[in-house]
Protein backbone atom coordinates (compact mmCIF):
# COMPACT_ATOMS: atom_id res chain seq x y z
CA UNK A 1 0.00 0.00 0.00
CA UNK A 2 2.94 2.32 0.64
CA UNK A 3 4.21 1.62 -2.85
CA UNK A 4 0.74 2.16 -4.27
CA UNK A 5 0.14 5.44 -2.48
CA UNK A 6 2.47 7.61 -4.56
CA UNK A 7 1.81 9.50 -7.78
CA UNK A 8 4.47 7.55 -9.68
CA UNK A 9 2.53 5.18 -11.92
CA UNK A 10 5.54 2.85 -12.33
CA UNK A 11 5.52 2.16 -8.59
CA UNK A 12 1.79 1.55 -8.70
CA UNK A 13 2.27 -0.87 -11.59
CA UNK A 14 4.83 -2.78 -9.50
CA UNK A 15 2.48 -2.91 -6.51
CA UNK A 16 -0.48 -4.10 -8.57
CA UNK A 17 1.72 -6.91 -9.96
CA UNK A 18 3.12 -7.94 -6.56
CA UNK A 19 -0.20 -8.13 -4.71
CA UNK A 20 -1.16 -11.47 -6.26
CA UNK A 21 1.85 -13.12 -4.64
CA UNK A 22 1.21 -11.97 -1.06
CA UNK A 23 0.09 -15.19 0.58
CA UNK A 24 -1.35 -13.77 3.78
CA UNK A 25 -2.45 -10.13 3.49
CA UNK A 26 -3.13 -8.68 6.92
CA UNK A 27 -5.78 -6.37 5.50
CA UNK A 28 -7.69 -5.78 2.30
CA UNK A 29 -5.41 -4.76 -0.55
CA UNK A 30 -7.05 -5.42 -3.91
CA UNK A 31 -10.19 -3.34 -3.47
CA UNK A 32 -8.47 -0.32 -1.85
CA UNK A 33 -5.86 -0.35 -4.64
CA UNK A 34 -8.55 -0.41 -7.30
CA UNK A 35 -10.66 2.28 -5.67
CA UNK A 36 -7.63 4.52 -5.22
CA UNK A 37 -6.66 4.09 -8.87
CA UNK A 38 -10.22 4.80 -10.01
CA UNK A 39 -10.25 8.03 -7.99
CA UNK A 40 -6.92 9.06 -9.51
CA UNK A 41 -8.24 8.22 -12.99
CA UNK A 42 -11.23 10.49 -12.32
CA UNK A 43 -8.94 13.35 -11.33
CA UNK A 44 -6.90 13.23 -14.56
CA UNK A 45 -7.74 15.31 -17.65
CA UNK A 46 -9.62 13.24 -20.20
CA UNK A 47 -6.70 13.48 -22.66
CA UNK A 48 -3.99 12.64 -20.10
CA UNK A 49 -1.65 9.77 -21.16
CA UNK A 50 -1.57 8.79 -17.46
CA UNK A 51 -5.03 7.34 -17.97
CA UNK A 52 -3.44 4.54 -20.02
CA UNK A 53 -1.37 3.63 -16.97
CA UNK A 54 -4.55 3.30 -14.92
CA UNK A 55 -5.88 0.80 -17.46
CA UNK A 56 -2.65 -1.22 -17.11
CA UNK A 57 -2.86 -1.13 -13.31
CA UNK A 58 -6.47 -2.34 -13.31
CA UNK A 59 -5.39 -5.10 -15.69
CA UNK A 60 -2.64 -6.13 -13.23
CA UNK A 61 -5.13 -6.27 -10.36
CA UNK A 62 -7.40 -8.57 -12.38
CA UNK A 63 -4.47 -10.87 -13.22
CA UNK A 64 -3.44 -10.84 -9.54
CA UNK A 65 -6.78 -12.37 -8.55
CA UNK A 66 -6.15 -15.24 -10.94
CA UNK A 67 -2.59 -15.65 -9.62
CA UNK A 68 -4.02 -16.10 -6.11
CA UNK A 69 -6.38 -18.79 -7.42
CA UNK A 70 -3.56 -20.63 -9.24
CA UNK A 71 -1.31 -20.51 -6.16
CA UNK A 72 -4.10 -22.10 -4.13
CA UNK A 73 -4.35 -19.32 -1.54
CA UNK A 74 -8.00 -18.72 -2.41
CA UNK A 75 -9.27 -22.28 -2.17
CA UNK A 76 -11.73 -23.21 0.56
CA UNK A 77 -9.10 -24.96 2.67
CA UNK A 78 -6.64 -22.08 2.71
CA UNK A 79 -6.20 -20.07 5.91
CA UNK A 80 -4.93 -17.14 3.80
CA UNK A 81 -8.10 -16.59 1.79
CA UNK A 82 -9.20 -13.06 1.03
CA UNK A 83 -12.72 -14.46 0.92
CA UNK A 84 -15.07 -12.17 -0.94
CA UNK A 85 -12.58 -9.35 -1.55
CA UNK A 86 -11.20 -10.53 -4.89
CA UNK A 87 -14.71 -11.52 -6.01
CA UNK A 88 -16.07 -8.10 -5.06
CA UNK A 89 -13.16 -6.47 -6.89
CA UNK A 90 -14.01 -8.22 -10.16
CA UNK A 91 -17.70 -7.39 -9.87
CA UNK A 92 -16.89 -3.74 -9.13
CA UNK A 93 -14.60 -3.48 -12.17
CA UNK A 94 -17.34 -4.87 -14.43
CA UNK A 95 -20.01 -2.66 -12.85
CA UNK A 96 -17.84 0.43 -13.31
CA UNK A 97 -17.15 -0.50 -16.92
CA UNK A 98 -20.88 -0.65 -17.58
CA UNK A 99 -21.17 2.79 -16.00
CA UNK A 100 -18.69 4.55 -18.25
CA UNK A 101 -15.16 3.58 -17.26
CA UNK A 102 -14.81 0.91 -19.96
CA UNK A 103 -11.66 -0.62 -18.47
CA UNK A 104 -9.99 -2.31 -21.42
CA UNK A 105 -9.58 -5.63 -19.56
CA UNK A 106 -12.97 -5.84 -17.86
CA UNK A 107 -13.85 -8.87 -20.02
CA UNK A 108 -11.02 -10.68 -18.23
CA UNK A 109 -12.79 -10.04 -14.93
CA UNK A 110 -15.98 -11.49 -16.43
CA UNK A 111 -14.11 -14.58 -17.69
CA UNK A 112 -12.57 -15.26 -14.27
CA UNK A 113 -15.89 -14.81 -12.48
CA UNK A 114 -17.54 -17.14 -14.98
CA UNK A 115 -14.93 -19.81 -14.25
CA UNK A 116 -15.15 -19.51 -10.46
CA UNK A 117 -18.67 -18.22 -9.77
CA UNK A 118 -20.90 -19.30 -12.67
CA UNK A 119 -23.17 -21.43 -10.46
CA UNK A 120 -23.95 -18.60 -8.04
CA UNK A 121 -27.09 -16.50 -8.24
CA UNK A 122 -25.02 -13.35 -7.95
CA UNK A 123 -23.17 -14.16 -11.16
CA UNK A 124 -26.35 -15.12 -13.00
CA UNK A 125 -28.05 -11.86 -12.00
CA UNK A 126 -24.97 -9.85 -12.92
CA UNK A 127 -24.66 -11.54 -16.30
CA UNK A 128 -28.27 -10.60 -17.14
CA UNK A 129 -27.33 -6.95 -16.53
CA UNK A 130 -24.19 -7.34 -18.62
CA UNK A 131 -26.14 -8.80 -21.53
CA UNK A 132 -28.46 -5.79 -21.45
CA UNK A 133 -25.41 -3.52 -21.46
CA UNK A 134 -24.05 -5.42 -24.46
CA UNK A 135 -27.30 -5.08 -26.44
CA UNK A 136 -27.33 -1.32 -25.85
CA UNK A 137 -23.66 -0.75 -26.63
CA UNK A 138 -22.68 -3.26 -29.32
CA UNK A 139 -21.11 -1.33 -32.17
CA UNK A 140 -20.57 1.83 -30.08
CA UNK A 141 -16.86 1.26 -29.41
CA UNK A 142 -17.61 -0.33 -26.05
CA UNK A 143 -14.96 -2.90 -25.18
CA UNK A 144 -17.06 -6.06 -25.22
CA UNK A 145 -16.12 -9.60 -26.26
CA UNK A 146 -19.00 -11.14 -28.19
CA UNK A 147 -17.31 -14.57 -28.23
CA UNK A 148 -16.99 -14.53 -24.43
CA UNK A 149 -20.69 -13.74 -24.02
CA UNK A 150 -21.58 -16.56 -26.40
CA UNK A 151 -19.44 -19.02 -24.41
CA UNK A 152 -20.97 -17.96 -21.08
CA UNK A 153 -24.50 -18.29 -22.48
CA UNK A 154 -23.55 -21.75 -23.73
CA UNK A 155 -22.48 -22.85 -20.26
CA UNK A 156 -18.75 -22.89 -21.03
CA UNK A 157 -16.83 -22.09 -17.84
CA UNK A 158 -13.27 -22.55 -19.15
CA UNK A 159 -13.67 -20.09 -22.01
CA UNK A 160 -10.98 -19.34 -24.58
CA UNK A 161 -10.45 -15.96 -22.93
CA UNK A 162 -10.00 -17.57 -19.51
CA UNK A 163 -7.50 -20.11 -20.89
CA UNK A 164 -5.59 -17.32 -22.61
CA UNK A 165 -5.36 -15.27 -19.38
CA UNK A 166 -4.33 -18.32 -17.38
CA UNK A 167 -1.83 -19.82 -19.82
CA UNK A 168 -0.31 -16.73 -21.41
CA UNK A 169 -0.29 -14.28 -18.50
CA UNK A 170 -0.74 -15.95 -15.13
CA UNK A 171 1.31 -19.12 -15.55
CA UNK A 172 4.16 -17.13 -17.09
CA UNK A 173 4.28 -14.91 -14.01
CA UNK A 174 3.95 -17.84 -11.58
CA UNK A 175 6.65 -19.89 -13.32
CA UNK A 176 8.99 -16.90 -13.45
CA UNK A 177 8.42 -16.17 -9.76
CA UNK A 178 9.36 -19.76 -8.84
CA UNK A 179 12.74 -19.31 -10.52
CA UNK A 180 13.67 -16.10 -8.71
CA UNK A 181 16.60 -16.46 -6.32
CA UNK A 182 17.26 -13.14 -4.58
CA UNK A 183 20.81 -12.42 -3.51
CA UNK A 184 21.19 -10.81 -0.05
CA UNK A 185 22.21 -7.43 -1.53
CA UNK A 186 19.08 -7.43 -3.75
CA UNK A 187 16.90 -8.24 -0.75
CA UNK A 188 18.50 -5.37 1.11
CA UNK A 189 17.71 -2.99 -1.75
CA UNK A 190 14.07 -4.11 -1.68
CA UNK A 191 13.84 -3.55 2.07
CA UNK A 192 15.42 -0.09 1.60
CA UNK A 193 12.79 0.73 -1.04
CA UNK A 194 9.97 -0.38 1.28
CA UNK A 195 11.42 1.71 4.10
CA UNK A 196 11.72 4.74 1.81
CA UNK A 197 8.12 4.38 0.64
CA UNK A 198 6.84 4.09 4.22
CA UNK A 199 8.68 7.23 5.27
CA UNK A 200 7.59 9.30 2.28
CA UNK A 201 4.18 8.09 1.12
CA UNK A 202 2.25 6.59 4.01
CA UNK A 203 -0.94 8.41 4.93
Amino acid sequence: MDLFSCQNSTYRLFASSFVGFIEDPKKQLLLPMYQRERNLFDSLPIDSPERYNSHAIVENLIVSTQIRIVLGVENNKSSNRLGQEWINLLYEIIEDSMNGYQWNSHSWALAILNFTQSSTQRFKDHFVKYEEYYKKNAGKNAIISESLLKDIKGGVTETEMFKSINDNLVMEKVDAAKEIQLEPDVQELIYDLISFMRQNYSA
Side-chain angles (χ1 to χ4, degrees), residues 28-89:
Q28 287 198 346
L29 293 176
L30 290 164
L31 262 176
M33 282 183 173
Y34 170 66
Q35 290 163 352
R36 186 182 183 89
E37 192 63 34
R38 182 183 59 199
N39 291 340
L40 179 62
F41 181 86
D42 285 337
S43 71
L44 294 169
I46 197 166
D47 58 349
S48 170
E50 281 288 308
R51 284 189 155 209
Y52 292 105
N53 293 328
S54 291
H55 280 278
I57 288 164
V58 172
E59 178 180 303
N60 276 351
L61 292 174
I62 293 170
V63 170
S64 285
T65 68
Q66 181 63 13
I67 287 171
R68 294 186 61 75
I69 295 165
V70 167
L71 292 177
V73 293
E74 289 304 328
N75 66 47
N76 291 333
K77 297 179 181 177
S78 172
S79 61
N80 297 330
R81 292 180 71 217
L82 292 177
Q84 288 290 312
E85 193 206 354
W86 66 269
I87 297 171
N88 292 338
L89 166 77

Side-chain angles (χ1 to χ4, degrees), residues 107-187:
S107 289
W108 297 4
L110 185 62
I112 294 170
L113 282 173
N114 176 58
F115 182 76
T116 60
Q117 307 291 311
S118 62
S119 63
T120 67
Q121 192 60 46
R122 182 181 182 184
F123 180 81
K124 292 172 183 176
D125 292 343
H126 205 84
F127 186 64
V128 169
K129 288 172 61 179
Y130 194 84
E131 277 196 290
E132 291 173 0
Y133 166 71
Y134 169 75
K135 289 173 184 175
K136 289 178 183 177
N137 292 279
K140 297 180 183 177
N141 296 321
I143 304 165
I144 300 171
S145 170
E146 185 175 354
S147 62
L148 176 61
L149 265 65
K150 190 178 293 184
D151 282 345
I152 294 174
K153 287 184 72 173
V156 179
T157 53
E158 195 170 350
T159 60
E160 286 302 316
M161 181 174 289
F162 177 83
K163 287 189 283 188
S164 179
I165 298 164
N166 205 54
D167 298 345
N168 299 332
L169 291 169
V170 172
M171 294 312 300
E172 277 188 16
K173 290 176 183 284
V174 171
D175 290 342
K178 288 177 181 176
E179 298 299 319
I180 293 173
Q181 299 288 333
L182 295 180
E183 298 296 331
D185 57 335
V186 176
Q187 290 188 40

